[in-house]
Amino acid sequence: MTASQIRKAFLDFFASKGHQIVPSAPIVVKNDPTLMFTNAGMNQFKDIFLGEAPAKYKRVVDTQRCLRVSGKHNDLEEVGIDTYHHTMFEMLGNWSFGDYFKKEAIEWSWELLTEVYKIDKDRLYVTIFEGDEKEGLPKDQEAFDYWKQYVPEDHILLGNKKDNFWEMGETGPCGPCSEIHYDNREEGERLKVKGESLVNRDDPQVIEIWNNVFMQFNRLKDGSLQPLPAKHVDTGMGFERLVRVLQEKSSNYDTDVFQELIQNISAKSKKEYDSAAKPGDADWNTTVAMRVLADHVRAVSFTIADGQLPSNNKAGYVIRRILRRAVRYQYQYLEFKEPFLNTLVPILAEQFKGVFDELYNQKDFVQKVVLEEETAFLRTLEKGISLFESEYRLATYQFGDKPYDPSVKPDLFNGEIAFKLQDTYGFPIDLTELMARERGLSVDMDGFNKALAEQKSRSRAATAIDTGDWIILKEDDTVEFTGYDETETIAHIVKYRKVTAKGKEQYQIVLDKTPFYAESGGQVGDTGQLVFPDGEIIQVTDTKKENALIVHFVDNMPSEKAINDALTAIVDPERRNSIQGNHSTTHLLHAALKQVLGNHVNQKGSLVNDEYLRFDFSHFAKVTEEELARIEAIVNEKVRENIPLKEERNVAYQVAITSGVTALFGEKYGEYVRVITFDDAFSKELCGGTHVKATGQIGYFKIVSESAVAAGVRRIEAITGIGAENYINKQSKLVHQLKELLKNPKDIGKSIETLLEENSKLKKEIERSVLEKSSGLKNELAKKVQDINGISFIAEKVTLPNADAVKNLAYQLKDIVPNLFLVLGADIEGKPNLTVMISENLVKDKGLNAGNIIRELAKEIQGGGGGQPFYATAGGKDVNGLDKALEKAKSFIE
């Protein structure tokens, strides 16, 4: 069976058992503060398991694209090394929400594996929960008894809490699970060692393929377990592992899931892929590199398609790290010195056409983003290598109070600098280790790990949040949002909890109905008040979504007397109106961008608050001033037309799509959607946000900036309404002030141009004067050369206006004085400056290094610096230390 046939057989089998086939959620998680990425099939159903939303279907089946590269599910460093770990993978799953339980789940698992897929029963092993005395949990006898109907008892193994009790997190739904493992070893190996002894022992050929989780409990913050009111089944089968089993391969990478990509990599690199390669073999690194590329391009491509661009923080940083790991492997082991990974995107998109069309529909955009990221990181690699070369002598513990000794041969590369190379410049530690080994060095990994741990500790401290259990006041599964129709409503508190972040206590409140819009889709959350009958007022500082819940953030709770009373929830109306104006404008802007730039434009992110709007969109060139003017004019024309809002709720998704509505990639839309239209022929989008009743309420639209965000993504920032009015008034005032300063000229532009020309002429005259002075100093200093051990030594203070002039002087002296060791000190506008210049032959023959020397000298001026072995500079705080620094310079050559 092909991979496509295997996937289809799974979905068809459970559809025949009454399951609704549902689409995969995006790989990028929104509205869940505990997750960055979808890391399991259950993520999109989390609100159902938590009891925060009703289930539309009692039984569902799907294939979910997942990513595991952070948190407790972090397999990144195993990827490519072993045969079965991946970053992005598919998880096949069947689900029961309070419907069937262990009996049917076990029966159908066995039926599918052995009767549909025809897997050898003797190679299958199952595990069940052995119980946990400390938790008061008994052995899962029920699962054991059901499995006995299909599996011999010596193939039913007991598993501990770590392996066979599944938990969503520190709190939340959980329960015992039953794993299914497959023994993929050759028959001779199976006769020597029984398979049951290798289950859950990290044997690459005895692997888990399916896990059936039986959710029975809710873990509270105090660690206790509370029975769930309804029992659920949550299963997950690794698609790539299943394909491996059915195609009788010893590695996931040898299946048709990966081979098309790998064979392309092999052909383009002109290197052989050896599926049997082992560590130490000549082609081991080549094989690992091909696996890494084939795996990582999937993770990067699908995540970008789902709306997460590579960046330097949070989820974007994770994607950038994966991409850079792939580039480093292709650069280091496959010898691709030019961008290559991006060329795999179209192949991947074609492979998943009809399964996950999100990628196919955006393949050109995704490829462009990957290309730009590759190009940038290849430059980083070159820069990192250069930094390594200039730093590696310093990084051998020849610093601090120890005198510099060029005769000492290094043997250890400083771990802190290795960490700096990785953390600041994105230069991977394993590449630093490789380059260090080539020079006979080892990296101080203790120092590296210490610096890494300190950074993680700082990061954890900055983001540490202690969240208490929900205190339930009223049983209510759903929250009614009334904010489309009103900004004030009568409500009751359903539940609340205390949250402590950065030492500050705050509370989160859930109401049974609320007009407060929760942050979502780029629109910020509402603020306002909760007013109680006794006159008590609680300020709502923010509103956010947590799965299906609308959570109100407050700094304090009402009194015990008032907490169960009806309250009036009031949204700040002025702020809401400003937000709505900016949100509706993003829809008009989106349509105008398509009209001016082309239909390739798609929204890639947005921020809508009460002060401004920010809109990111796909486009591969800077938007010209003329284009921006046209876009602005179109939006303002639509504002003046005062187009009424056409809002349609609960529209069937397919009906909406067929009608030509704009839907955003990376969003998880339900079966029914909300359609927002401003003129059917102009703007029609799926949107859950709040909007003005007519475009005239926007007032006026003004673009304030256009810039690049990432490869193929541009950003427009703009303002509307009173914000636009204030901006124009401010600009008008600025122009008036300029006119006054320029004595009210008729043509202000021409006057400024004349001033700039005069300024440029004056600058050139000053530069000529400084050069003349430098030339005079050059000749004076050349006469002050001291011959010390065959070295021409000069250490002098000079009076020059800037660092460039000092640099120019140093290079002039280098050209006329052989064997030069030059140290210059200068007081530049009250700040000390040191410059060291050393002839290349002294660097090579005497082991002198300007970068190392300048760091020692800089201590005398309470500063620091660096540079190349022949030229380095430093700045500091203490001008009085210049003389001492110049005296100290001689000690390096005496």
Side-chain angles (χ1 to χ4, degrees):
M1 295 176 78
T2 66
S4 296
Q5 291 169 333
I6 292 167
R7 185 190 294 110
K8 185 175 185 301
F10 180 89
L11 297 173
D12 289 348
F13 175 81
F14 281 103
S16 74
K17 303 295 184 184
H19 292 65
Q20 175 70 29
I21 300 176
V22 297
S24 170
I27 211 166
V28 182
V29 175
K30 299 176 181 178
N31 302 324
D32 185 345
T34 66
L35 287 172
M36 285 194 291
F37 303 106
T38 297
N39 62 11
M42 59 76 58
N43 291 159
Q44 68 166 304
F45 308 116
K46 191 174 173 182
D47 53 346
I48 298 174
F49 293 130
L50 289 167
E52 295 168 357
K56 292 181 181 176
Y57 309 102
K58 290 293 186 182
R59 301 178 181 184
V60 300
V61 61
D62 70 350
T63 177
Q64 171 67 53
R65 50 188 183 274
C66 300
L67 190 72
R68 287 188 179 175
V69 288
S70 57
K72 69 176 184 177
H73 297 301
N74 189 348
D75 301 327
L76 181 60
E77 296 310 319
E78 301 298 323
V79 174
I81 306 298
D82 66 20
T83 58
Y84 56 93
H85 278 110
H86 302 291
T87 49
M88 180 264 176
F89 62 96
E90 286 185 69
M91 186 172 282
L92 304 172
N94 56 288
W95 317 84
S96 166
F97 306 120
D99 188 18
Y100 64 84
F101 204 46
K102 297 179 184 178
K103 178 180 182 299
E104 294 84 356
I106 289 171
E107 176 188 337
W108 292 337
S109 297
W110 192 252
E111 181 184 347
L112 176 63
L113 292 176
T114 62
E115 296 181 25
V116 176
Y117 290 138
K118 307 295 184 184
I119 293 177
D120 182 354
K121 298 176 183 179
D122 189 49
R123 288 179 176 267
L124 293 172
Y125 294 85
V126 299
T127 64
I128 64 152
F129 182 46
E130 67 184 4
D132 189 290
E133 191 175 331
K134 291 181 181 177
E135 294 269 17
L137 293 170
K139 169 186 171 183
D140 191 354
Q141 189 64 43
E142 184 182 5
F144 183 86
D145 291 340
Y146 286 133
W147 275 121
K148 271 202 315 183
Q149 300 176 33
Y150 311 103
V151 182
E153 286 195 33
D154 63 346
H155 279 229
I156 305 175
L157 311 175
L158 299 180
N160 58 24
K161 184 182 169 187
K162 176 179 175 291
D163 291 327
N164 282 87
F165 193 87
W166 189 91
E167 304 203 42
M168 183 184 294
E170 292 183 4
T171 61
C174 54
C177 61
S178 184
E179 301 169 341
I180 304 172
H181 296 253
Y182 180 78
D183 187 349
N184 196 40
R185 296 174 299 153
E186 295 180 358
E187 195 60 37
E189 292 296 317
R190 295 180 65 224
L191 292 173
K192 291 178 186 176
V193 180
K194 290 186 177 182
E196 56 261 37
S197 67
L198 300 176
V199 168
N200 278 330
R201 295 293 184 273
D202 294 324
D203 189 291
Q205 298 303 324
V206 182
I207 56 172
E208 176 194 343
I209 57 172
W210 205 350
N211 191 11
N212 285 260
V213 178
F214 308 120
M215 292 199 183
Q216 299 175 235
F217 306 102
N218 183 36
R219 174 79 69 182
L220 300 180
K221 185 170 177 60
D222 64 7
S224 62
L225 292 170
Q226 182 183 71
L228 290 172
K231 296 177 180 178
H232 312 290
V233 171
D234 159 15
T235 83
M237 176 146 61
F239 173 66
E240 292 79 8
R241 295 186 183 193
L242 176 64
V243 174
R244 165 184 168 180
V245 168
L246 296 180
Q247 294 184 356
E248 298 181 351
K249 304 294 184 181
S250 59
S251 165
N252 295 5
Y253 294 101
D254 295 342
T255 68
D256 63 347
V257 175
F258 293 97
Q259 273 301 301
E260 185 177 2
L261 291 169
I262 287 175
Q263 291 308 316
N264 180 276
I265 297 165
S266 175
K268 295 294 171 60
S269 66
K270 297 181 173 57
K271 294 180 184 290
E272 291 297 320
Y273 172 76
D274 182 2
S275 61
K278 297 180 177 59
D281 291 352
D283 52 3
W284 168 246
N285 287 331
T286 300
T287 296
V288 169
M290 291 183 186
R291 290 174 178 171
V292 167
L293 265 63
D295 173 276
H296 287 10
V297 72
R298 290 160 37 107
V300 168
S301 298
F302 277 107
T303 311
I304 294 171
D306 278 347
Q308 180 57 65
L309 295 169
S311 69
N312 282 333
N313 52 58
K314 297 183 179 178
Y317 177 72
V318 174
I319 300 310
R320 178 164 283 168
R321 183 178 170 217
I322 296 172
L323 193 152
R324 288 183 168 189
R325 185 173 188 260
V327 175
R328 196 262 298 172
Y329 267 93
Q330 72 184 29
Y331 180 92
Q332 189 174 340
Y333 298 115
L334 299 178
E335 298 178 31
F336 287 115
K337 305 306 180 187
E338 300 295 328
F340 170 75
L341 188 70
N342 71 92
T343 66
L344 300 177
V345 173
I347 301 170
L348 183 68
E350 191 68 41
Q351 183 180 341
F352 279 94
K353 186 179 180 181
V355 182
F356 302 132
D357 283 330
E358 296 87 343
L359 178 57
Y360 185 82
N361 293 334
Q362 301 180 86
K363 60 181 184 296
D364 293 341
F365 169 73
V366 173
Q367 183 175 4
K368 178 71 173 176
V369 173
V370 175
L371 170 62
E372 292 294 329
E373 282 289 316
E374 282 190 274
T375 303
F377 185 54
L378 284 169
R379 287 197 298 267
T380 296
L381 276 177
E382 291 175 2
K383 184 177 180 181
I385 291 169
S386 175
L387 281 166
F388 180 94
E389 297 291 354
S390 64
E391 294 280 357
Y392 98 93
R393 284 193 61 81
L394 173 69
T396 61
Y397 292 154
Q398 295 183 48
F399 55 87
D401 295 329
K402 297 179 182 179
Y404 176 74
D405 184 353
S407 68
V408 174
K409 297 303 178 186
D411 59 3
L412 196 62
F413 191 94
N414 183 284
E416 290 183 18
I417 291 180
F419 176 75
K420 178 183 175 183
L421 282 168
Q422 175 169 292
D423 187 55
T424 305
Y425 302 105
F427 199 67
I429 181 61
D430 44 3
L431 192 51
T432 298
E433 287 185 291
L434 174 71
M435 293 178 64
R437 281 197 300 273
E438 290 173 350
R439 289 156 180 77
L441 304 175
S442 59
V443 175
D444 170 26
M445 290 308 295
D446 288 340
F448 175 86
N449 290 326
K450 181 183 177 184
L452 178 62
E454 288 173 354
Q455 185 212 47
K456 286 183 176 179
S457 178
R458 288 192 298 270
S459 178
R460 279 194 296 269
T463 58
I465 299 175
D466 182 22
T467 305
D469 289 323
W470 286 112
I471 308 299
I472 311 295
L473 300 180
K474 178 183 174 185
E475 291 295 339
D476 198 327
D477 286 344
T478 58
V479 176
E480 181 186 354
F481 175 63
T482 64
Y484 294 140
D485 304 308
E486 60 185 6
T487 56
E488 186 173 324
T489 195
I490 304 300
H492 290 83
I493 297 176
V494 173
K495 56 185 178 181
Y496 68 92
R497 66 186 178 191
K498 184 166 74 173
V499 176
T500 304
K502 297 182 180 178
K504 180 184 176 184
E505 286 188 355
Q506 198 176 35
Y507 293 87
Q508 297 177 357
I509 291 175
V510 176
L511 306 176
D512 56 357
K513 61 189 297 192
T514 179
F516 284 78
Y517 182 83
E519 181 181 320
S520 182
Q523 179 175 333
V524 297
D526 281 330
T527 60
Q529 297 178 332
L530 305 180
V531 181
F532 292 82
D534 63 358
E536 190 174 359
I537 297 176
I538 301 296
Q539 298 293 332
V540 177
T541 58
D542 201 358
T543 312
K544 293 182 182 290
K545 269 189 180 179
E546 185 171 314
N547 303 307
L549 286 181
I550 296 176
V551 181
H552 307 75
F553 288 65
V554 298
D555 290 333
N556 47 68
M557 287 294 294
S559 64
E560 287 188 29
K561 179 183 176 184
I563 199 168
N564 289 301
D565 287 347
L567 58 87
T568 305
I570 307 172
V571 173
D572 180 337
E574 287 188 17
R575 184 172 180 272
R576 165 72 82 83
N577 287 338
S578 296
I579 293 168
Q580 288 183 159
N582 283 334
H583 196 160
S584 296
T585 304
T586 63
H587 286 226
L588 303 181
L589 173 60
H590 195 180
L593 285 164
K594 284 180 176 290
Q595 190 170 312
V596 173
L597 302 179
N599 285 326
H600 66 279
V601 167
N602 281 300
Q603 181 177 333
K604 289 299 170 187
S606 70
L607 171 65
V608 176
N609 60 31
D610 56 321
E611 296 180 349
Y612 68 98
L613 66 93
R614 188 178 74 204
F615 192 82
D616 298 344
F617 56 97
S618 52
H619 188 57
F620 298 118
K622 179 177 173 59
V623 185
T624 66
E625 290 296 327
E626 292 77 11
E627 288 169 335
L628 288 173
R630 286 170 57 200
I631 291 161
E632 196 174 274
I634 290 170
V635 173
N636 280 314
E637 180 185 344
K638 296 301 177 183
V639 171
R640 289 191 297 272
E641 286 177 16
N642 198 27
I643 303 165
L645 166 68
K646 179 182 175 184
E647 179 200 25
E648 299 168 271
R649 302 180 195 174
N650 299 315
V651 180
Y653 176 74
Q654 286 304 327
V655 171
I657 293 299
T658 304
S659 73
V661 73
T662 297
L664 305 183
F665 294 111
E667 289 290 336
K668 172 64 177 174
Y669 295 108
E671 191 175 354
Y672 294 94
V673 293
R674 179 168 173 258
V675 180
I676 296 296
T677 305
F678 291 107
D679 181 350
D680 283 285
F682 187 68
S683 171
K684 190 173 187 178
E685 294 192 20
L686 299 186
C687 182
T690 62
H691 290 274
V692 296
K693 299 303 180 187
T695 59
Q697 294 175 11
I698 293 168
Y700 186 73
F701 168 73
K702 182 65 185 172
I703 295 172
V704 295
S705 71
E706 188 275 345
S707 60
V709 178
V713 180
R714 307 296 299 182
R715 169 173 292 172
I716 281 178
E717 292 192 359
I719 47 181
T720 65
I722 191 68
E725 182 181 330
N726 291 338
Y727 176 83
I728 291 169
N729 288 337
K730 187 177 179 181
Q731 296 300 308
S732 178
K733 184 179 179 182
L734 180 61
V735 171
H736 181 69
Q737 288 173 338
L738 280 171
K739 280 186 174 181
E740 287 188 334
L741 288 169
L742 296 168
K743 309 301 183 187
N744 293 305
K746 290 181 180 180
D747 188 338
I748 188 173
K750 190 172 182 181
S751 293
I752 292 172
E753 191 176 317
T754 302
L755 272 178
L756 291 173
E757 287 175 0
E758 290 175 359
N759 186 56
S760 178
K761 287 178 182 176
L762 287 170
K763 276 187 175 179
K764 287 177 181 176
E765 288 178 14
I766 292 170
E767 286 172 5
R768 274 196 301 271
S769 173
V770 169
L771 282 172
E772 288 171 4
K773 187 173 183 180
S774 294
S775 295
L777 277 173
K778 173 188 71 174
N779 297 325
E780 287 180 28
L781 292 175
K783 295 173 183 176
K784 295 183 178 182
V785 169
Q786 299 177 54
D787 189 311
I788 302 174
N789 299 323
I791 295 172
S792 300
F793 176 71
I794 302 173
E796 293 286 335
K797 266 206 299 193
V798 294
T799 303
L800 287 169
N802 54 55
D804 285 339
V806 178
K807 180 180 180 180
N808 183 58
L809 174 60
Y811 273 93
Q812 287 183 42
L813 283 164
K814 184 186 175 191
D815 289 338
I816 65 170
V817 179
N819 302 320
L820 178 65
F821 179 2
L822 170 70
V823 183
L824 296 176
D827 178 345
I828 299 175
E829 296 180 354
K831 299 269 182 81
N833 174 276
L834 285 169
T835 297
V836 175
M837 174 70 82
I838 303 175
S839 294
E840 279 91 343
N841 62 305
L842 297 183
V843 172
K844 183 179 178 182
D845 300 336
K846 302 285 188 178
L848 294 174
N849 186 302
N852 294 347
I853 293 169
I854 201 77
R855 288 181 181 86
E856 288 297 320
L857 298 180
K859 293 175 184 177
E860 305 301 333
I861 58 170
Q862 296 181 28
Q868 299 168 292
F870 70 90
Y871 177 77
T873 61
K877 300 175 183 177
D878 185 7
V879 175
N880 297 321
L882 284 172
D883 290 331
K884 194 169 181 184
L886 294 172
E887 290 172 18
K888 187 176 181 180
K890 192 179 291 187
S891 66
F892 288 93
I893 56 173
E894 284 182 334

